[in-house]
């Protein structure tokens, strides 16, 4: 007669209750709501939408393939994004959303801000982050970007920032650029 485990193997435990792996309770390790949201930043855990951000190769609707070169797949959570970009006309039920006009680093800066109020911008990402914040109507992040640009305004970048300030409809920044150009005309003109 075969053992209780079948085929001569070790006996199995009596099926009195379902045996499951313990579920990791990540919420219990986070003391505040802000910590829990920060933990979910780009985390696949309970994510219900994926963004394919950046320009890349041909994307096939419904295709499950990897992102193309220059693209990045970013997991997100609808409940957190609802305040910024999934209300009204921006609402979507798709689980995969392609954003070819948004740079991955700028979108990650936007998500980080929405998850934790943390601002991570630098000289190489501030303009693309400003574009992304304006596109998705996140005025607090817009203000941080404009403040960063204002603090880093110099004669050698005043013309470039003036162009961007006008493009992004930031009249106060444009005015500061014009003042800088007026005060340091020679340096501004001789800049690259």
């Amino acid at each position: 007669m075969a053992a209780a485990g079948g085929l001569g193997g070790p006996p199995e435990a009596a099926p009195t209750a379902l045996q499951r792996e313990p579920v990791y309770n990540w919420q219990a390790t986070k003391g505040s709501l802000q910590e829990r949201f920060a933990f979910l930043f780009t985390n696949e855990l309970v994510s219900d939408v994926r963004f394919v951000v950046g320009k890349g190769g041909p994307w096939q609707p419904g295709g499950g393939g990897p992102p193309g070169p220059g693209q990045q797949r970013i997991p997100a959570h609808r409940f957190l994004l609802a305040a910024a970009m999934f209300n009204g006309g921006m609402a979507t039920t798709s689980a995969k959303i392609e954003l070819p006009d948004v740079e991955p680093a700028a979108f990650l800066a936007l998500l980080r801000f929405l998850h934790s109020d943390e601002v991570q911008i630098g000289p190489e990402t501030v303009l693309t982050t400003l574009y992304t914040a304006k596109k998705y109507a996140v005025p607090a992040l817009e203000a941080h970007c404009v403040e960063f640009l204002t603090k880093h305004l110099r004669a050698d970048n005043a013309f470039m920032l003036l162009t961007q300030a006008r493009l992004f409809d930031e009249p106060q920044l444009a005015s500061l650029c014009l003042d800088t150009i007026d005060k340091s005309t020679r340096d501004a003109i001789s800049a690259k």
Side-chain angles (χ1 to χ4, degrees), residues 6-124:
L7 299 178
E12 294 178 330
T16 56
L18 288 176
Q19 294 180 352
R20 294 185 180 166
E21 292 284 323
V23 176
Y24 173 60
N25 188 359
W26 63 271
Q27 297 97 329
T29 65
K30 311 299 176 212
S32 70
L33 186 61
Q34 184 175 5
E35 286 178 310
R36 289 188 290 278
F37 282 166
F39 174 79
L40 291 174
F41 170 64
T42 68
N43 195 322
E44 288 283 344
L45 186 66
V46 300
S47 66
D48 56 359
V49 65
R50 307 293 181 286
F51 290 91
V52 178
V53 184
K55 294 178 184 162
W59 174 76
Q60 301 298 320
Q71 292 180 316
Q72 186 172 349
R73 185 172 290 155
I74 301 171
H77 307 83
R78 285 185 202 281
F79 75 94
L80 192 58
L81 299 174
M85 62 183 76
F86 286 101
N87 288 331
M90 294 298 290
T92 182
T93 57
S94 177
K96 181 178 179 184
I97 301 167
E98 187 162 345
L99 306 175
D101 62 325
V102 176
E103 290 294 320
F107 195 71
L108 286 168
L110 174 81
L111 287 179
R112 181 181 307 281
F113 182 75
L114 293 176
H115 280 78
S116 65
D117 279 340
E118 184 181 336
V119 179
Q120 282 195 352
I121 50 177
E124 59 285 331

